[in-house]
Protein backbone atom coordinates (compact mmCIF):
# COMPACT_ATOMS: atom_id res chain seq x y z
CA UNK A 1 0.00 0.00 0.00
CA UNK A 2 2.98 2.27 -0.36
CA UNK A 3 3.93 2.42 3.32
CA UNK A 4 5.27 -0.39 5.44
CA UNK A 5 2.94 -2.06 7.91
CA UNK A 6 4.48 -3.22 11.16
CA UNK A 7 2.76 -6.39 12.19
CA UNK A 8 3.04 -8.74 15.12
CA UNK A 9 2.80 -12.51 15.34
CA UNK A 10 -0.85 -13.40 14.80
CA UNK A 11 -3.03 -16.49 14.76
CA UNK A 12 -3.42 -17.91 11.26
CA UNK A 13 -5.93 -20.42 9.92
CA UNK A 14 -3.73 -23.47 10.51
CA UNK A 15 -6.17 -26.13 9.29
CA UNK A 16 -8.74 -26.43 6.53
CA UNK A 17 -11.69 -25.94 8.87
CA UNK A 18 -10.31 -22.65 10.20
CA UNK A 19 -9.50 -21.47 6.67
CA UNK A 20 -13.03 -22.18 5.43
CA UNK A 21 -14.52 -20.35 8.41
CA UNK A 22 -12.19 -17.34 8.02
CA UNK A 23 -13.11 -16.97 4.34
CA UNK A 24 -16.85 -17.45 4.86
CA UNK A 25 -17.50 -15.40 8.02
CA UNK A 26 -15.79 -12.28 9.29
CA UNK A 27 -14.86 -13.12 12.86
CA UNK A 28 -14.17 -10.23 15.19
CA UNK A 29 -11.19 -10.52 17.46
CA UNK A 30 -12.08 -10.43 21.14
CA UNK A 31 -10.22 -8.01 23.34
CA UNK A 32 -7.80 -9.78 25.68
CA UNK A 33 -5.17 -8.60 28.12
CA UNK A 34 -2.38 -11.02 27.30
CA UNK A 35 -1.37 -13.22 24.38
CA UNK A 36 -1.16 -16.98 24.82
CA UNK A 37 0.58 -19.76 22.93
CA UNK A 38 -2.61 -20.60 21.01
CA UNK A 39 -4.14 -17.14 20.68
CA UNK A 40 -2.03 -14.20 19.60
CA UNK A 41 -3.12 -10.57 19.73
CA UNK A 42 -2.14 -7.11 18.55
CA UNK A 43 1.28 -6.07 19.80
CA UNK A 44 2.00 -2.94 21.86
CA UNK A 45 5.43 -2.67 20.17
CA UNK A 46 7.51 -2.52 23.36
CA UNK A 47 5.41 0.31 24.79
CA UNK A 48 4.50 -2.07 27.64
CA UNK A 49 7.04 -3.81 29.83
CA UNK A 50 5.31 -7.16 29.28
CA UNK A 51 5.78 -8.08 25.60
CA UNK A 52 2.68 -10.31 25.75
CA UNK A 53 0.38 -7.40 26.59
CA UNK A 54 -2.31 -6.82 23.97
CA UNK A 55 -3.19 -3.63 22.09
CA UNK A 56 -6.23 -4.65 20.07
CA UNK A 57 -7.33 -1.31 18.64
CA UNK A 58 -5.51 1.60 17.02
CA UNK A 59 -6.39 3.82 19.98
CA UNK A 60 -4.81 1.26 22.34
CA UNK A 61 -1.48 1.59 20.53
CA UNK A 62 -1.63 5.39 20.47
CA UNK A 63 -2.42 5.47 24.19
CA UNK A 64 0.44 3.09 24.97
CA UNK A 65 2.86 5.29 23.00
CA UNK A 66 1.51 8.42 24.69
CA UNK A 67 2.08 6.95 28.16
CA UNK A 68 5.74 6.39 27.25
CA UNK A 69 6.04 9.87 25.69
CA UNK A 70 6.81 8.28 22.32
CA UNK A 71 5.90 9.89 19.05
CA UNK A 72 3.65 8.03 16.64
CA UNK A 73 5.96 6.53 13.98
CA UNK A 74 5.79 7.98 10.47
CA UNK A 75 8.04 5.50 8.62
CA UNK A 76 5.47 2.73 8.96
CA UNK A 77 1.89 2.02 10.02
CA UNK A 78 1.07 -0.38 12.85
CA UNK A 79 -1.38 -3.09 11.85
CA UNK A 80 -4.11 -1.85 14.19
CA UNK A 81 -4.18 1.47 12.27
CA UNK A 82 -3.96 0.10 8.72
CA UNK A 83 -7.63 0.68 7.82
CA UNK A 84 -6.98 4.33 6.93
CA UNK A 85 -4.07 3.36 4.69
CA UNK A 86 -6.14 0.74 2.87
CA UNK A 87 -8.86 3.36 2.36
CA UNK A 88 -6.36 5.81 0.90
CA UNK A 89 -4.54 3.15 -1.15
CA UNK A 90 -6.96 0.28 -1.88
CA UNK A 91 -5.59 -3.10 -3.05
CA UNK A 92 -5.02 -3.51 -6.78
CA UNK A 93 -5.06 -6.58 -9.03
CA UNK A 94 -1.74 -8.42 -9.17
CA UNK A 95 -0.42 -6.85 -5.96
CA UNK A 96 1.83 -8.91 -3.72
CA UNK A 97 3.32 -8.62 -0.24
CA UNK A 98 6.93 -8.27 0.83
CA UNK A 99 7.61 -9.78 4.23
CA UNK A 100 10.64 -8.80 6.31
CA UNK A 101 11.15 -10.17 9.80
CA UNK A 102 13.84 -10.44 12.46
CA UNK A 103 12.78 -12.91 15.13
CA UNK A 104 14.42 -13.87 18.41
CA UNK A 105 13.28 -17.40 19.22
CA UNK A 106 14.02 -20.03 21.84
CA UNK A 107 16.36 -22.86 20.92
CA UNK A 108 13.56 -25.41 20.60
CA UNK A 109 11.89 -27.04 17.61
CA UNK A 110 9.16 -24.81 16.26
CA UNK A 111 7.17 -23.75 13.20
CA UNK A 112 6.55 -20.47 11.37
CA UNK A 113 3.23 -20.24 9.51
CA UNK A 114 2.35 -17.73 6.80
CA UNK A 115 -1.27 -17.92 5.75
CA UNK A 116 -4.72 -16.37 6.01
CA UNK A 117 -5.37 -14.49 9.25
CA UNK A 118 -7.78 -16.32 11.53
CA UNK A 119 -9.57 -12.97 11.92
CA UNK A 120 -9.54 -11.98 8.25
CA UNK A 121 -11.04 -8.52 7.80
CA UNK A 122 -13.31 -8.93 4.79
CA UNK A 123 -13.88 -5.20 4.34
CA UNK A 124 -10.20 -4.78 3.37
CA UNK A 125 -10.52 -7.27 0.50
CA UNK A 126 -12.31 -6.29 -2.75
CA UNK A 127 -15.59 -8.28 -3.07
CA UNK A 128 -14.63 -9.83 -6.42
CA UNK A 129 -11.27 -10.97 -4.99
CA UNK A 130 -12.92 -12.46 -1.90
CA UNK A 131 -15.38 -14.31 -4.12
CA UNK A 132 -12.54 -15.84 -6.17
CA UNK A 133 -10.65 -16.84 -3.02
CA UNK A 134 -13.71 -18.62 -1.63
CA UNK A 135 -13.88 -20.54 -4.91
CA UNK A 136 -10.31 -21.75 -4.44
CA UNK A 137 -8.33 -19.03 -6.25
CA UNK A 138 -5.82 -18.45 -3.43
CA UNK A 139 -2.27 -17.76 -4.57
CA UNK A 140 0.71 -18.42 -2.28
CA UNK A 141 3.44 -18.08 -4.93
CA UNK A 142 6.58 -16.73 -3.31
CA UNK A 143 10.28 -16.03 -3.62
CA UNK A 144 12.60 -16.38 -0.63
CA UNK A 145 15.08 -13.55 -1.04
CA UNK A 146 16.96 -14.48 2.11
CA UNK A 147 16.60 -16.82 5.09
CA UNK A 148 19.28 -17.17 7.74
CA UNK A 149 19.50 -18.31 11.35
CA UNK A 150 22.25 -16.12 12.73
CA UNK A 151 25.04 -13.86 11.45
CA UNK A 152 26.89 -14.54 8.21
CA UNK A 153 30.43 -15.94 8.10
CA UNK A 154 32.78 -16.90 5.21
CA UNK A 155 31.72 -20.11 3.49
CA UNK A 156 28.16 -20.09 4.85
CA UNK A 157 25.57 -21.06 2.23
CA UNK A 158 21.91 -20.31 2.97
CA UNK A 159 20.36 -22.89 0.67
CA UNK A 160 16.89 -21.31 0.47
CA UNK A 161 18.11 -17.91 -0.72
CA UNK A 162 16.55 -17.14 -4.09
CA UNK A 163 14.14 -20.10 -3.96
CA UNK A 164 11.06 -19.43 -6.10
CA UNK A 165 7.75 -21.30 -5.92
CA UNK A 166 4.88 -20.62 -8.32
CA UNK A 167 1.24 -21.52 -7.82
CA UNK A 168 0.11 -23.86 -10.60
CA UNK A 169 -3.37 -22.59 -11.36
CA UNK A 170 -5.53 -24.81 -13.57
CA UNK A 171 -8.70 -23.05 -14.86
CA UNK A 172 -11.85 -24.73 -13.58
CA UNK A 173 -9.98 -26.62 -10.87
CA UNK A 174 -10.40 -24.81 -7.50
CA UNK A 175 -7.04 -25.68 -5.99
CA UNK A 176 -4.53 -23.76 -3.94
CA UNK A 177 -1.34 -25.15 -2.40
CA UNK A 178 0.35 -25.97 0.89
CA UNK A 179 4.09 -25.24 0.74
CA UNK A 180 6.13 -27.06 3.39
CA UNK A 181 9.78 -26.45 4.31
CA UNK A 182 11.41 -28.72 6.91
CA UNK A 183 14.64 -27.04 7.98
CA UNK A 184 17.34 -28.82 9.99
CA UNK A 185 19.64 -26.41 11.84
CA UNK A 186 23.26 -27.22 12.67
CA UNK A 187 24.75 -24.94 15.38
CA UNK A 188 28.07 -23.67 14.07
CA UNK A 189 30.94 -21.90 15.83
CA UNK A 190 33.18 -20.03 13.40
CA UNK A 191 36.53 -18.85 14.75
CA UNK A 192 38.13 -16.31 12.40
CA UNK A 193 41.85 -15.62 12.57
CA UNK A 194 42.56 -12.91 15.13
CA UNK A 195 38.90 -12.04 15.80
CA UNK A 196 36.03 -12.99 18.08
CA UNK A 197 34.14 -16.24 17.57
CA UNK A 198 30.91 -16.07 15.55
CA UNK A 199 28.00 -18.28 16.58
CA UNK A 200 25.47 -19.02 13.86
CA UNK A 201 23.64 -21.92 12.17
CA UNK A 202 24.02 -23.78 8.93
CA UNK A 203 20.97 -25.62 7.67
CA UNK A 204 19.70 -28.22 5.25
CA UNK A 205 16.11 -28.37 4.03
CA UNK A 206 13.51 -30.81 2.78
CA UNK A 207 10.61 -29.28 0.89
CA UNK A 208 7.40 -30.36 -0.77
CA UNK A 209 4.15 -28.89 -2.06
CA UNK A 210 0.64 -30.30 -1.67
CA UNK A 211 -2.51 -29.23 -3.60
CA UNK A 212 -5.38 -28.08 -1.37
CA UNK A 213 -9.06 -28.03 -2.34
CA UNK A 214 -10.54 -25.18 -0.28
CA UNK A 215 -14.16 -25.97 -1.10
CA UNK A 216 -13.99 -29.73 -0.56
CA UNK A 217 -11.46 -29.81 2.28
CA UNK A 218 -13.17 -28.54 5.41
CA UNK A 219 -11.95 -31.08 7.97
CA UNK A 220 -10.42 -29.39 11.00
CA UNK A 221 -7.70 -32.04 11.13
CA UNK A 222 -6.36 -31.41 7.61
CA UNK A 223 -3.54 -29.03 6.71
CA UNK A 224 -4.41 -25.56 5.47
CA UNK A 225 -3.16 -23.60 2.49
CA UNK A 226 -0.16 -21.39 3.07
CA UNK A 227 3.59 -21.45 3.61
CA UNK A 228 4.81 -23.54 6.54
CA UNK A 229 8.41 -23.53 7.73
CA UNK A 230 9.27 -25.90 10.55
CA UNK A 231 12.74 -26.15 12.00
CA UNK A 232 14.59 -28.44 14.38
CA UNK A 233 18.05 -28.17 15.91
CA UNK A 234 20.57 -31.01 15.74
CA UNK A 235 21.99 -32.28 19.08
CA UNK A 236 25.56 -31.69 17.88
CA UNK A 237 27.51 -28.59 16.84
CA UNK A 238 30.21 -27.87 14.27
CA UNK A 239 33.29 -25.74 14.86
CA UNK A 240 35.15 -24.12 11.96
CA UNK A 241 38.47 -22.43 12.71
CA UNK A 242 40.86 -20.34 10.65
CA UNK A 243 44.52 -20.85 11.48
CA UNK A 244 47.89 -19.93 10.02
CA UNK A 245 50.73 -22.43 9.74
CA UNK A 246 54.04 -21.35 11.29
CA UNK A 247 57.08 -20.83 9.04
CA UNK A 248 58.75 -24.00 10.30
CA UNK A 249 55.89 -26.06 8.81
CA UNK A 250 56.29 -24.29 5.47
CA UNK A 251 60.03 -24.98 5.42
CA UNK A 252 59.44 -28.61 6.36
CA UNK A 253 56.98 -29.03 3.47
CA UNK A 254 59.45 -27.41 1.04
CA UNK A 255 62.20 -29.77 2.19
CA UNK A 256 59.89 -32.74 1.78
CA UNK A 257 59.05 -31.68 -1.78
CA UNK A 258 62.71 -31.18 -2.70
CA UNK A 259 63.59 -34.54 -1.15
CA UNK A 260 60.89 -36.22 -3.19
CA UNK A 261 62.19 -34.64 -6.38
CA UNK A 262 65.78 -35.81 -5.72
CA UNK A 263 64.59 -39.31 -4.84
CA UNK A 264 62.48 -39.55 -8.02
CA UNK A 265 65.26 -38.26 -10.29
CA UNK A 266 67.71 -40.68 -8.67
CA UNK A 267 65.30 -43.58 -9.35
CA UNK A 268 65.02 -42.55 -13.01
CA UNK A 269 68.82 -42.34 -13.29
CA UNK A 270 69.21 -45.86 -11.90
CA UNK A 271 66.64 -47.22 -14.36
CA UNK A 272 68.34 -45.52 -17.30
CA UNK A 273 71.86 -46.80 -16.61
Amino acid sequence: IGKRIRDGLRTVADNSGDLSTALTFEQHEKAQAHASAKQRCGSCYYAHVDEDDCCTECDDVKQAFKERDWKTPTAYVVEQCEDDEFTANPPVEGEFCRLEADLYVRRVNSQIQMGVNHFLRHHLVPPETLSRVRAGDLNFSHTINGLSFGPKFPGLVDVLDGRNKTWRHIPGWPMTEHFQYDVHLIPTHYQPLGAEEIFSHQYSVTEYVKPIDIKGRRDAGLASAGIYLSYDITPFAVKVSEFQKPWIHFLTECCAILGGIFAFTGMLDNLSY
Side-chain angles (χ1 to χ4, degrees), residues 118-176:
H118 185 79
F119 299 101
L120 178 65
R121 287 182 277 184
H122 292 196
H123 64 280
L124 298 181
V125 184
E128 59 276 10
T129 302
L130 188 59
S131 179
R132 290 203 312 269
V133 170
R134 287 170 175 167
D137 189 356
L138 186 57
N139 189 346
F140 279 101
S141 298
H142 59 277
T143 299
I144 302 176
N145 294 317
L147 177 67
S148 60
F149 294 85
K152 303 282 188 180
F153 61 83
L156 175 65
V157 177
D158 294 324
V159 296
L160 283 178
D161 287 8
R163 188 64 50 90
N164 179 269
K165 293 291 184 179
T166 304
W167 175 50
R168 298 167 293 181
H169 176 57
I170 301 175
W173 194 29
M175 286 288 184
T176 182

Side-chain angles (χ1 to χ4, degrees), residues 250-264:
F250 175 72
L251 293 176
T252 302
E253 290 176 354
C254 290
C255 291
I257 293 172
L258 292 174
I261 293 174
F262 279 114
F264 182 71

Side-chain angles (χ1 to χ4, degrees), residues 5-240:
I5 295 178
R6 185 174 179 181
D7 210 336
L9 296 176
R10 305 307 299 269
T11 304
V12 302
D14 61 353
N15 60 64
S16 293
D18 282 349
L19 178 60
S20 177
T21 302
L23 295 177
T24 306
F25 307 103
E26 181 167 0
Q27 305 175 84
H28 296 285
E29 188 173 7
K30 295 181 180 179
Q32 59 188 75
H34 297 277
S36 64
K38 293 186 177 181
Q39 186 63 55
R40 305 305 302 175
C41 65
S43 173
C44 295
Y45 309 101
Y46 304 108
H48 289 183
V49 176
D50 189 344
E51 294 182 9
D52 285 331
D53 280 356
C54 296
C55 289
T56 306
E57 303 294 337
C58 182
D59 290 340
D60 297 337
V61 179
K62 292 179 179 179
Q63 181 62 31
F65 275 55
K66 184 178 179 179
E67 291 174 358
R68 295 292 293 268
D69 291 328
W70 292 354
K71 293 182 179 180
T72 302
T74 57
Y76 58 85
V77 179
V78 297
E79 60 163 325
Q80 294 92 330
C81 305
E82 65 186 3
D83 284 28
D84 292 340
E85 289 297 325
F86 271 96
T87 301
N89 302 281
V92 297
E93 191 70 27
E95 190 176 50
F96 289 87
C97 300
R98 180 182 178 88
L99 177 65
E100 298 177 356
D102 291 309
L103 302 176
Y104 294 91
V105 297
R106 293 187 178 93
R107 289 175 51 81
V108 295
N109 301 346
S110 190
Q111 183 180 74
I112 300 172
Q113 303 174 1
M114 288 156 277
V116 175
N117 193 332
H118 185 79
F119 299 101
L120 178 65
R121 287 182 277 184
H122 292 196
H123 64 280
L124 298 181
V125 184
E128 59 276 10
T129 302
L130 188 59
S131 179
R132 290 203 312 269
V133 170
R134 287 170 175 167
D137 189 356
L138 186 57
N139 189 346
F140 279 101
S141 298
H142 59 277
T143 299
I144 302 176
N145 294 317
L147 177 67
S148 60
F149 294 85
K152 303 282 188 180
F153 61 83
L156 175 65
V157 177
D158 294 324
V159 296
L160 283 178
D161 287 8
R163 188 64 50 90
N164 179 269
K165 293 291 184 179
T166 304
W167 175 50
R168 298 167 293 181
H169 176 57
I170 301 175
W173 194 29
M175 286 288 184
T176 182
E177 291 175 327
H178 171 102
F179 296 95
Q180 179 72 42
Y181 296 93
D182 294 326
V183 178
H184 312 288
L185 303 180
I186 305 173
T188 303
H189 300 264
Y190 180 80
Q191 180 62 65
L193 187 64
E196 293 184 0
E197 183 181 74
I198 299 172
F199 178 68
S200 187
H201 293 83
Q202 303 178 74
Y203 66 86
S204 62
V205 62
T206 304
E207 56 188 287
Y208 67 88
V209 59
K210 179 192 301 181
I212 300 291
D213 181 0
I214 293 179
K215 296 181 67 176
R217 188 183 177 96
R218 300 175 183 270
D219 192 328
L222 299 177
S224 177
I227 304 169
Y228 287 64
L229 188 150
S230 61
Y231 61 90
D232 58 67
I233 303 174
T234 61
F236 58 87
V238 173
K239 184 168 185 177
V240 181

